[in-house]
Amino acid sequence: MRADAHDEILPMSEIPYTLVVIFILLSVWFAWRYFELKKRLNQYARFIASKTDPPKTFKDFETTHAAVSSLQNAFSAERAALNAENARLATVLAQLTDGVIIADAEGRVQLANPAAHGIFGIHNATHQSVAQVVRNHRLIEAWRRGQQTRQIVVEAVEIPNRKQILQMTVIPDEHEGGSLLLAQDLTQVRKLEMVRRDFISNVSHELRTPLASLKALTETLQNGALSDPDAGPRFLDRIHTEIDALTQMTQELLDLSRIESGQVQLNFENISPRKLVYSAADRMKAQAERANLKLNVKSEDGLPNLQADKGRLEQVLVNLIHNAVKFTKPGGQICLSVEAENGGVRFAVQDTGIGIPPESLSRIFERFYRVDSSRTGSGTGLGLSISKHIVEAHGGRIWAESEEGRGSTFYFLLPH
């Protein structure tokens, strides 16, 4: 016999009281465990944040705490090592004379060392574009070519307005898509190369002239001039003169080499600047008179004495006067003067000669340097270079001022 539907479900009043109590107790226990676990997790999170010792109430987290502490110590050690590497890298980049620029894939500068700022004449390159930093279409094109081809690109350019010769190497970054740019200022290197080439050319010229004269004179004597009572002695005198010129050149090259290498010992003594200029003028007076030039001397009274090598400084003055005699036309004047200036003593040799072009003033103290063919003449071309090194060995400086067609003035200043 089938029972009715309402007979299959017991009414609430007929559910046993024990089951209700058990259900309530289980609910309370599960709730308590949930909130207890949540409380402990919060406590441990606060412990991790504050780096305090774990409470004794959760020893079950000691293993986890030890693992986290170990990871924390390892992380601290790695961070310290990374900071040390970064500091070393920053020091190296700061001391490099070559410019270093790191740009991202979009061409934004992420890092630039002080040398890069100096080479490109900018204050802060970070976050600027490569084009804004280098400001040269050929260098910009080189960077773009490196970005497109992902190959190393080297480009050298001359920047006339800054009188610079720059070489930039673009090295693409294969991982990030950016690039490393190395900039080198080759201005001084190219200048030294030019000086070296000029030196070799000039010394070859200076040697070839007397050697060619000696060869011609010798052949003339061999062909019968030696027996000629008039021509023989004259040719022998010419040979003697050319040999003296070669000897002087060799000695001056040796002196210059010794002075540049610091092998020449200066004999310092207490000397009077006034007596020094008059002594040099007396030595060159006869040569000036033969060239129909007037040599004047001016000296202030009460000049302080100098601690210097008298012989070497007199050599400097003689070289400067000799240079003025060579390039001053007959009837001109040469004035040798000395005066106190800026805590030292300034010497000057002024002439009314042909003058020096402005572009050559910075090079006239180089070995064998010739301004142009109109200034070639007797001598080795080493006098000014030797004078420069002697003055600098005394702690002074030497320079020249000139205007073409209106003469030149050579100065050197010595501390007292």
Side-chain angles (χ1 to χ4, degrees), residues 217-230:
L217 291 169
T218 303
E219 289 176 349
T220 303
L221 290 173
Q222 287 176 337
N223 291 332
L226 184 61
S227 58
D228 188 321
D230 295 327

Side-chain angles (χ1 to χ4, degrees), residues 298-314:
K298 297 180 181 179
S299 174
E300 288 185 352
D301 295 328
L303 290 172
N305 286 349
L306 298 172
Q307 287 294 320
D309 188 318
K310 180 179 180 298
R312 290 295 182 180
L313 288 186
E314 188 169 317

Side-chain angles (χ1 to χ4, degrees), residues 282 324 407:
D282 287 340

Side-chain angles (χ1 to χ4, degrees), residues 139-204:
L139 296 181
I140 296 171
E141 181 60 30
W143 168 73
R144 288 175 178 167
R145 193 162 62 250
Q147 286 290 91
Q148 292 171 358
T149 63
R150 310 309 296 169
Q151 301 290 329
I152 296 177
V153 177
V154 180
E155 184 72 30
V157 298
E158 183 174 357
I159 304 178
N161 59 337
R162 297 206 300 264
K163 297 182 179 179
Q164 279 182 311
I165 300 175
L166 300 182
Q167 177 175 288
M168 191 174 76
T169 304
V170 181
I171 306 173
D173 183 353
E174 298 297 336
H175 303 286
E176 300 294 333
S179 55
L180 171 67
L181 287 72
L182 300 179
Q184 295 175 293
D185 190 344
L186 303 181
T187 308
Q188 189 63 24
V189 174
R190 296 291 175 84
K191 182 179 179 181
L192 291 176
E193 289 178 354
M194 182 173 60
V195 170
R196 179 183 61 82
R197 288 196 302 268
D198 287 348
F199 172 76
I200 294 174
S201 174
N202 288 327
V203 73
S204 299

Side-chain angles (χ1 to χ4, degrees), residues 272-282 297-299 317 321 336-338 347-348 412:
S272 166
R274 181 184 179 88
K275 292 181 179 179
L276 181 64
V277 294
Y278 275 100
S279 176
D282 287 340
V297 180
K298 297 180 181 179
S299 174
L317 290 171
I321 298 171
L336 175 60
S337 62
V338 58
F347 298 82
F412 65 93

